[in-house]
DNA sequence: ATATCAAGTTTCAACTATTGAGACAATTAA
DNA sequence: TTAATTGTCTCAATAGTTGAAACTTGATAT
């Protein structure tokens, strides 16, 4: 309850001092004209992790000064950015939150998956994650935590590296070959822990294994002591639409303990996949 | 000065079956060039409330077919939209969630306000809302609910009409005259309930009252049985940066009961305002 | 089968919005 | 004061956007 403070407050450090080399921005996301360039500015502001001044943005911007300036004006005008008049600092705007709220409700798996997450959470008593792929990264959509209630945006919308998370590997494993290879090529293979996967070959081998069992593991690959099992969520046609995981700590359980939930996890994933499909095609093509 | 000429060509379609006439979209947010137009498409997709096909979007789009088409391509390419390959439906993309997550953490009041909300929630046992203005609307940033834990994006990012919510009125009251009038002019004055404010004059009178007490009420103006008291969050310089409210139901308490929390509410608002200011200017201008 | 219609996609010349070097204004520093 | 930095504006050249029209695809009807 009370320590809900601790997490959120100290996150706002200066520049990238966190051990997080996540390359959020453009992996050759070649600018789709003016619109792409402008959106690129949003990523730059996001990357700073705090409100920033014009010069700082300009410094990182690939576009010349007046161009960057105009983009900032436009985006601010469009409320995609906010300009603090007291400080002259730009930050990401509220319109994004409004849009994201809609995105969460309409577009993502989250609403249909919610009851199933509740169920799994209740049964296991462990932390449950629901995630989706955002390019080469994993984006968390929802979370169930046994210990303390979640706190909104501070959990959903979070991104993580695909190659060293359970959900990430589970989803990657079931992509089509070309898409999968494309994503593998984009992984950083940063060594977060001693157990992190550090090469494409190693990852490919593991993905092949995952394809057989539909279960993937995180063996403390992202954070020490944090382990999980995960499974992909597939449509009946076999397309990956997300992933779920059960996460815990080595202090509490072993990987073998978690493995006991394999069947529950897979059946939950199946149920979510079906529910999502039903929702997309209410009566054999009605929604189309 | 940007002219306020309301040339709204948005005849609300019959497809709006929901009882919510909230005019999310453009109140003459006249397109800032290509970027503005493209972002406008996002609002259109949002407005549908569900994944939609190209034709449907085209139908509502003010731009001709190929232009709309190209925007959809660009936005999809940029992951601001997602295209379901199975159904051909467009929906809001995951990139929005990632950006919103950052926005919530960096830009909004939410992280600094969190501990104070916890405190107030504990003390009152009632539902607490934290909100900010998004144009003429209220955007909820965070929530504390006594009954059940919140569920991420499903609460934060929500928007509501400013003129018939406690936080909305509290914030409007403390805007500068021109900004305030501008916002008043944009309210729909839809009669959600029998107690809804239905005219600008009525609203102005109430705002004047609120300016004296720094407390506003929602007297079942938005939803039957739902009442609240709210207070604006101000910077030391007097600028409105948000609002908080204590919400309850007439089944449980009366408006007079809620009024007893006025001082707690105001002092919490003050604390949040100060904390936000401290955070903006850690040591008399250091962050600048 | 063939025709008909609607949805989705592409083309390309006309045009207009974007672009960015540079000048200027407003701050802050020395 | 001068110098340096940040923020804002201008304007001609250019590059990107624009949208009528034509075309493809797929579904439904005749």
């Amino acid at each position: 309850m009370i320590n809900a403070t601790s997490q959120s407050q100290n996150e706002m450090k200066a520049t990238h001092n966190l051990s997080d080399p996540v390359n959020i921005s453009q992996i050759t996301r070649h600018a789709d004209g003016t619109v792409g360039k402008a959106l690129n500015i949003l990523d730059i502001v996001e990357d700073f992790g705090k409100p920033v001044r014009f010069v700082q943005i300009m410094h990182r911007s690939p576009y010349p000064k007046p161009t960057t300036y105009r983009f900032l004006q436009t985006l601010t005008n469009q409320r995609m950015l906010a300009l603090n008049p007291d400080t002259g600092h730009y930050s990401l705007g509220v319109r994004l939150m409004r849009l994201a709220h809609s995105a969460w409700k309409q577009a993502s798996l989250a609403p249909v998956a919610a009851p199933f997450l509740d169920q799994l959470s209740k049964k296991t008593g462990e932390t449950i994650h629901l995630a989706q792929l955002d390019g080469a990264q994993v984006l968390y959509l929802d979370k169930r935590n046994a210990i303390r209630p979640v706190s909104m945006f501070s959990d959903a919308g979070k991104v993580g590296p695909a190659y060293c998370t359970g959900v990430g590997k589970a989803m990657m494993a079931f992509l089509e070959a070309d898409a999968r290879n494309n994503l593998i090529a984009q992984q950083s293979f940063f060594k977060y822990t001693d157990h992190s996967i550090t090469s494409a070959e190693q990852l490919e081998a593991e993905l092949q294994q995952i394809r057989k069992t539909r279960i993937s593991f995180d063996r403390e690959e992202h954070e020490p002591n944090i382990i999980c099992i995960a499974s992909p969520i597939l449509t009946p046609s076999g397309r990956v639409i997300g992933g779920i995981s059960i996460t815990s700590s080595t202090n509490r359980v072993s990987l073998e303990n978690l493995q006991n939930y394999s069947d529950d996890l897979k059946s939950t994933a199946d149920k979510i996949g079906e529910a999502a499909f039903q929702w997309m095609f209410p009566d054999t093509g009605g929604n189309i």
Side-chain angles (χ1 to χ4, degrees), chain A:
Chain A
M1 292 283 184
I2 302 157
N3 56 6
T5 315
S6 57
Q7 195 183 29
S8 23
Q9 246 177 359
N10 51 18
E11 299 278 65
M12 8 218 74
K13 294 291 159 58
T15 36
H16 270 178
N17 47 6
L18 279 175
S19 60
D20 214 85
V22 170
N23 42 357
I24 272 182
S25 43
Q26 57 285 11
I27 312 276
T28 319
R29 175 185 284 161
H30 52 90
D32 299 281
T34 317
V35 178
K37 290 182 199 170
L39 294 178
N40 194 20
I41 298 286
L42 288 183
D43 283 347
I44 291 172
V45 175
E46 180 191 13
D47 240 27
F48 275 99
K50 60 171 187 183
V52 280
R53 293 205 143 219
F54 171 61
V55 241
Q56 310 177 260
I57 297 169
M58 193 194 76
H59 195 247
R60 282 208 202 170
S61 165
Y63 320 114
K65 191 158 78 152
T67 303
T68 303
Y69 181 70
R70 252 180 290 104
F71 280 142
L72 289 174
Q73 277 198 146
T74 302
L75 290 169
T76 303
N77 202 27
Q78 291 283 328
R79 266 193 275 282
M80 298 297 277
L81 290 178
L83 174 58
N84 184 327
D86 291 343
T87 63
H89 284 145
Y90 290 92
S91 50
L92 295 173
V94 281
R95 187 177 178 188
L96 286 167
M97 288 189 241
R98 202 196 66 206
L99 287 167
H101 171 70
S102 293
W104 191 88
K105 281 181 70 175
Q106 309 163 14
S108 78
L109 274 180
V112 280
F116 302 106
L117 299 189
D118 287 336
Q119 214 174 299
L120 193 61
S121 164
K122 204 169 184 180
K123 181 157 188 176
T124 63
E126 299 288 354
T127 298
I128 311 294
H129 279 115
L130 175 73
Q132 209 168 307
L133 278 174
D134 177 18
Q137 288 186 300
V138 159
L139 184 136
Y140 293 97
L141 296 172
D142 208 343
K143 183 181 179 177
R144 291 294 179 282
N145 197 324
I147 301 159
R148 69 164 187 208
V150 295
S151 60
M152 306 206 176
F153 284 84
S154 57
D155 291 311
K158 203 171 178 177
V159 288
Y163 70 97
C164 59
T165 56
V167 275
K169 291 189 287 184
M171 290 190 280
M172 270 202 281
F174 284 84
L175 288 176
E176 284 175 17
D178 52 350
R180 184 172 65 243
N181 292 328
N182 193 15
L183 249 58
I184 291 173
Q186 289 180 48
Q187 301 303 315
S188 72
F189 296 111
F190 176 81
K191 202 169 162 59
Y192 287 96
T193 73
D194 288 345
H195 302 87
S196 297
I197 292 177
T198 51
S199 76
E201 294 70 35
Q202 207 180 337
L203 179 58
E204 269 166 356
E206 190 164 333
L207 294 186
Q208 199 170 353
Q209 195 58 36
I210 294 166
R211 236 166 286 139
K212 290 177 191 161
T213 57
R214 262 182 52 215
I215 289 287
S216 75
F217 296 97
D218 173 353
R219 306 175 176 85
E220 309 182 56
E221 294 162 38
H222 188 27
E223 283 181 68
N225 298 320
I226 301 298
I227 54 174
C228 91
I229 58 168
S231 187
I233 300 171
L234 307 169
T235 59
S237 59
R239 198 165 56 84
V240 187
I241 53 173
I244 50 170
S245 67
I246 305 175
T247 304
S248 194
S249 157
T250 51
N251 303 328
R252 279 226 301 277
V253 300
S254 70
L255 210 63
E256 286 69 39
N257 295 142
L258 281 186
Q259 205 159 359
N260 292 332
Y261 292 127
S262 293
D263 288 340
D264 288 320
L265 190 64
K266 280 193 281 190
S267 80
T268 303
D270 285 343
K271 284 183 216 158
I272 295 173
E274 273 173 47
F277 186 74
Q278 295 292 353
W279 183 76
M280 270 164 43
F281 306 97
D283 44 43
T284 326
N287 192 20
I288 303 177

